[in-house]
Amino acid sequence: MLPTQAEEKFPPISGEIYGQAVPGLKSLLINGKKIPFDQDYNFQAKINLKAGQKYLTLVLNYENLRIIKKYLVLRKAAVKKFKIVVPKEKIEKAIEIAKKPSRQEILRRKRLQQLAALKKKKERERWLKLKEKERIALAEKRWIKSVASPRFIPHEFLLGPSPEALASAIENDQYGFSLRAKAKTIAWLNQILEIPNFYELVVLKGKKIILTPRLKKLIAETESYRSKPFATLSLYQKKKIMFLNRLLLEALYPQTPQKKSWLITEEKVSPIPKTCEYLYVWEFSEGKLLLVKETKGSYSAEIHIPVAKEWLDLKGISSKELKEIIGKPIAIFRQTKKK
């Protein structure tokens, strides 16, 4: 069988290859054959290339990295053996190039960083929204407990017009609502307080109302849920609707007892600080809130006592003083406030 053109140009040849790899080498192969190396990563091997075999392929396997170097072994009549030297510097350079991320990889990593930052931002926003909901729920709960009921009670009519007189005046305006309670009774009047859209009915009738700041505030606050059935509202929303309707009746009908006590009580409610300004809010004791704030990587803490409308800065406070504050009854803060 005649030799091929490749076999003629590349007859069999023998030689050797040696060099030094960089630390971390796991295995080394030459033309698919595993080659040993010493503790300093020096290697040396004798190689026989067959006829037509053009290349010597060196493979260096590292952790998560493979370096492949391919050598074309030319044949010359005067050269019977070849020698290939692999300097350590060349392998180091190859590893450096291999580890250097491509432009596509750089863009991919940048995108991942952006996505991670966006995810963190969204998580932060969700956390803030959750805390804001908790703050609102706490404020609503405190408000409900602190404010008296707007419902009509019998003793309100002892020194003024009767419930029947007030009910008759309301009926004469024919708002068009139908109530379950017996007409012209206190129960009937209280059911009017539970009509979510009573303000809209008043407006449709063209009744003239002097809108006090409190009325304006209640109208704005209840706008989003006045179209909903009363039974579906939260306890806080129900009470707001009832307050609005009670104030409307007081503004429209002189026969309505002027309920002052709940207004005064409401004014006494101390506002709850907005928790979105704080990283952490904890009611560690009844009526005492611990608030932690972050400002440019620095943390500060305060104790807020809503009942006493008092703020206590914890900066520089000793552990003994802190224990005294934590154990101090709310009543003491109230007495201190009066002094």
Side-chain angles (χ1 to χ4, degrees):
M1 187 176 179
L2 295 173
T4 63
Q5 189 176 2
E7 289 174 338
E8 286 181 351
K9 286 187 176 182
F10 295 91
I13 191 171
S14 61
E16 64 177 330
I17 181 171
Y18 61 90
Q20 184 181 18
V22 297
L25 183 66
K26 299 294 182 183
S27 63
L28 186 149
L29 292 88
I30 296 176
N31 286 352
K33 185 180 178 181
K34 196 170 183 179
I35 304 298
F37 52 89
D38 63 20
Q39 61 183 9
D40 295 322
Y41 301 98
N42 294 302
F43 61 90
Q44 185 175 5
K46 294 186 181 298
I47 306 296
N48 293 310
L49 296 179
K50 298 176 182 178
Q53 193 173 2
K54 302 177 183 180
Y55 298 99
L56 183 150
T57 305
L58 173 67
V59 179
L60 300 101
N61 293 312
Y62 290 87
E63 188 74 35
N64 301 321
L65 180 65
R66 175 175 291 176
I67 303 296
I68 300 174
K69 296 185 75 65
K70 204 169 186 180
Y71 299 91
L72 176 63
V73 181
L74 298 173
R75 273 63 156 184
K76 291 183 180 179
V79 179
K80 301 299 180 182
K81 287 190 176 185
F82 67 87
K83 185 181 287 186
I84 298 174
V85 180
V86 184
K88 182 180 178 181
E89 292 75 17
K90 282 195 174 183
I91 297 175
E92 287 175 337
K93 185 67 176 176
I95 291 174
E96 183 184 340
I97 293 169
K99 286 186 175 180
K100 187 177 180 181
S102 63
R103 185 175 181 277
Q104 188 176 3
E105 177 63 16
I106 291 170
L107 291 174
R108 188 186 73 84
R109 290 180 186 179
K110 188 176 180 181
R111 179 60 180 160
L112 287 175
Q113 288 174 350
Q114 289 173 342
L115 289 173
L118 183 62
K119 184 181 178 182
K120 189 175 180 180
K121 183 182 177 182
K122 286 183 177 179
E123 286 175 353
R124 173 71 176 167
E125 287 173 353
R126 279 196 295 269
W127 183 85
L128 287 174
K129 284 180 182 178
L130 179 63
K131 288 297 174 186
E132 182 64 7
K133 284 182 180 179
E134 290 176 359
R135 182 196 73 81
I136 291 170
L138 177 62
E140 289 178 355
K141 188 177 179 181
R142 289 176 181 272
W143 185 83
I144 290 167
K145 287 182 178 180
S146 303
V147 183
S149 172
R151 291 184 181 277
F152 292 100
I153 51 178
H155 81 261
E156 290 184 276
F157 295 93
L158 293 177
L159 301 176
S162 65
E164 292 81 4
L166 174 58
S168 296
I170 296 170
E171 282 183 328
N172 289 339
D173 285 330
Q174 299 180 352
Y175 290 104
F177 51 73
S178 178
L179 303 176
R180 298 186 307 276
K182 186 179 178 180
K184 298 182 180 180
T185 62
I186 290 177
W188 187 85
L189 292 172
N190 282 330
Q191 283 192 0
I192 293 175
L193 301 182
E194 296 178 359
I195 300 173
N197 65 335
F198 182 61
Y199 171 71
E200 280 71 23
L201 297 176
V202 169
V203 172
L204 283 173
K205 277 291 174 183
K207 303 286 287 182
K208 291 183 179 180
I209 317 168
I210 298 173
L211 295 177
T212 62
R214 187 174 296 281
L215 258 175
K216 287 180 181 178
K217 184 181 178 184
L218 282 168
I219 290 167
E221 286 178 348
T222 58
E223 184 179 5
S224 62
Y225 50 85
R226 284 202 304 270
S227 59
K228 298 178 181 179
F230 188 77
T232 64
L233 303 180
S234 68
L235 187 59
Y236 175 80
Q237 292 171 336
K238 287 177 180 178
K239 208 163 187 180
K240 284 285 184 180
I241 289 290
M242 293 173 73
F243 276 132
L244 171 62
N245 293 349
R246 176 70 187 245
L247 282 175
L248 287 171
L249 291 177
E250 290 182 7
L252 291 167
Y253 302 100
Q255 300 92 334
T256 308
Q258 300 294 306
K259 191 176 181 71
K260 300 294 184 182
S261 59
W262 68 268
L263 297 177
I264 296 167
T265 309
E266 186 184 9
E267 291 296 339
K268 288 182 179 178
V269 178
S270 177
I272 304 297
K274 290 183 70 177
T275 54
C276 59
E277 297 175 4
Y278 298 91
L279 279 176
Y280 183 71
V281 177
W282 174 41
E283 188 174 14
F284 63 90
S285 181
E286 186 178 356
K288 298 178 186 176
L289 303 177
L290 174 67
L291 304 103
V292 179
K293 183 188 289 186
E294 180 190 6
T295 308
K296 296 181 180 179
S298 298
Y299 296 88
S300 59
E302 297 168 327
I303 289 178
H304 178 52
I305 303 163
V307 171
K309 297 183 181 179
E310 189 166 346
W311 290 84
L312 303 173
D313 191 352
L314 299 184
K315 188 176 181 181
I317 198 169
S318 67
S319 58
K320 183 180 178 182
E321 289 171 327
L322 180 61
K323 287 178 182 177
E324 288 177 357
I325 290 170
I326 292 171
K328 196 175 185 182
I330 295 298
I332 294 176
F333 285 104
R334 287 175 179 159
Q335 291 167 9
T336 306
K337 186 73 179 177
K338 287 178 182 178
K339 289 178 183 179

